[in-house]
Amino acid sequence: MNIKATGLIAVGTVAMILSGCSDNETTEDANLGEQLEYTITGIEPGAGITGQAREMLNTYDNLEGWELQESSTGGMMTELDQAIQNEEPIVVTGWTPHWMFERYDLKMLEDPELAFGEGDDIHTIAREGLEEDMPEAYAILDAFEWSVEEMQVVIDEGQDIEMEEAAADWVEENQDQVDGWLEGVDPVDGQPIDIISVPWDSERASSNVIRLALEQHGFDVTVTNVDPSILFQAVGNGEADASVAPWLPNTHGAFMDEYGESIVDLGPNAEGTMNALVVPTYMEIDSIEDLPASE
Ligand code: PBE
């Protein structure tokens, strides 16, 4: 037995005596649940991950009685920051790519019931008829492809400077890659195109990069940020031309099921995203199943 383990047992024994409880683990579990107020700190009600987290509460027996506190990504990040500064427990709905993993020591909880699926890819989608009406735009959107690591570079820089500038820097440094998306496509002269997106940093990064690529080829690009459900509705009914924001098949799967019939899926533009319950590494739990049931 190593010294650390001995120390833990000693602390455990003291806790047991102090609490007068014979089952130390139950005491610790109850404390964790109470400290967390049986609450998971979430983000915007309209986010795909919020829908997944709501479902998760029904999937796991131990989460009966737990609540998802829906707020905003900014609010969640503030609560995470405060908890970490005080070394208090917190459970948030988190994802990669995001800067939270660069700034804090965090871990994703195992998800044996796959409430969040096994990861997604970020897809490019277009309205029906875009290929016929705007073949140049369609060809560029179809060719647009990068990695989540490249996206992460823009996301991180976008914390210090405007996301538009961060995207412009990336394009400047990776013009060869951008040229590859434009290759063989005739330039246009001011053709307007409506790109629809969501307000999270990952998609602010990608939408600005595709905007710059399209602008280099003569398009007049408008980017509009909306809730995911509105995004799918808009592409489905032809109000928007295209989007590079959908996370599929899991995060936005329900929206794709609802509106996908009149949406053209051009496939992944970036592979390998992940949603999960995320906790600071100083917390001793490893799985969603380790969250104590509320009595
Ligand atoms: N996210 C980031 C979004 C998509 C991109 C995971 C917070 C969502 O849940 O809809």
Side-chain angles (χ1 to χ4, degrees):
M1 185 182 291
N2 64 36
I3 292 168
K4 201 171 163 203
T6 318
L8 284 178
I9 287 169
V11 171
T13 311
V14 172
M16 223 188 299
I17 295 164
L18 288 178
S19 65
C21 178
S22 58
D23 187 349
N24 183 47
E25 206 176 294
T26 312
T27 310
E28 271 181 17
D29 283 358
N31 283 343
L32 179 62
E34 275 162 30
Q35 278 176 290
L36 291 167
E37 292 175 358
Y38 300 99
T39 298
I40 288 152
T41 306
I43 62 164
E44 288 81 356
I49 196 173
T50 304
Q52 291 177 309
R54 281 189 210 125
E55 284 277 315
M56 172 198 69
L57 294 181
N58 299 324
T59 306
Y60 286 87
D61 291 343
N62 57 309
L63 295 182
E64 214 193 306
W66 279 69
E67 271 177 46
L68 176 68
Q69 181 195 310
E70 297 174 16
S71 61
S72 66
T73 301
M76 178 186 83
M77 291 313 300
T78 303
E79 290 201 30
L80 179 66
D81 188 75
Q82 283 170 0
I84 288 174
Q85 286 192 31
N86 300 325
E87 236 189 87
E88 284 166 357
I90 185 165
V91 183
V92 304
T93 56
W95 62 92
T96 56
H98 191 280
W99 52 266
M100 67 179 96
F101 290 90
E102 319 278 312
R103 190 162 307 176
Y104 306 110
D105 288 326
L106 301 172
K107 59 185 172 186
M108 288 185 161
L109 295 183
E110 286 159 27
D111 175 19
E113 300 289 345
L114 301 182
F116 297 98
E118 289 179 288
D120 278 327
D121 296 325
I122 310 179
H123 285 232
T124 302
I125 60 171
R127 66 169 168 84
E128 273 183 347
L130 187 78
E131 187 172 11
E132 295 76 33
D133 307 347
M134 301 172 70
E136 296 85 4
Y138 185 92
I140 295 168
L141 287 160
D142 199 19
F144 169 55
E145 197 183 355
W146 63 343
S147 65
V148 293
E149 289 77 17
E150 290 170 307
M151 177 185 257
Q152 185 77 55
V153 170
V154 181
I155 295 171
D156 290 344
E157 207 188 331
Q159 301 316 305
D160 301 324
I161 59 174
E162 290 297 320
M163 194 60 83
E164 289 76 12
E165 274 177 62
D169 287 349
W170 187 89
V171 166
E172 201 182 317
E173 281 158 32
N174 295 273
Q175 188 62 50
D176 287 355
Q177 193 169 335
V178 175
D179 287 344
W181 309 331
L182 306 173
E183 205 183 303
V185 181
D186 291 336
V188 298
D189 188 12
Q191 187 174 47
I193 180 164
D194 282 318
I195 301 291
I196 196 151
S197 190
V198 291
W200 291 283
D201 286 347
S202 39
E203 282 58 48
R204 291 176 63 224
S206 56
S207 294
N208 273 295
V209 166
I210 192 68
R211 172 181 61 77
L212 290 159
L214 288 163
E215 283 175 357
Q216 283 189 2
H217 233 51
F219 286 92
D220 179 5
V221 187
T222 309
V223 177
T224 312
N225 292 337
V226 296
D227 265 9
S229 74
I230 308 290
L231 181 154
F232 282 85
Q233 235 172 294
V235 178
N237 66 25
E239 273 172 48
D241 291 312
S243 178
V244 297
W247 287 30
L248 295 168
N250 299 300
T251 308
H252 299 139
F255 304 124
M256 197 61 175
D257 288 346
E258 201 172 340
Y259 303 106
E261 232 171 82
S262 33
I263 290 176
V264 184
D265 183 357
L266 284 71
N269 60 60
E271 291 182 5
T273 68
M274 190 69 213
N275 295 344
L277 289 192
V278 169
V279 302
T281 46
Y282 55 73
M283 285 178 68
E284 274 167 21
I285 56 170
D286 293 308
S287 167
I288 296 176
E289 288 184 331
D290 294 338
L291 291 168
S294 110
E295 301 303 321

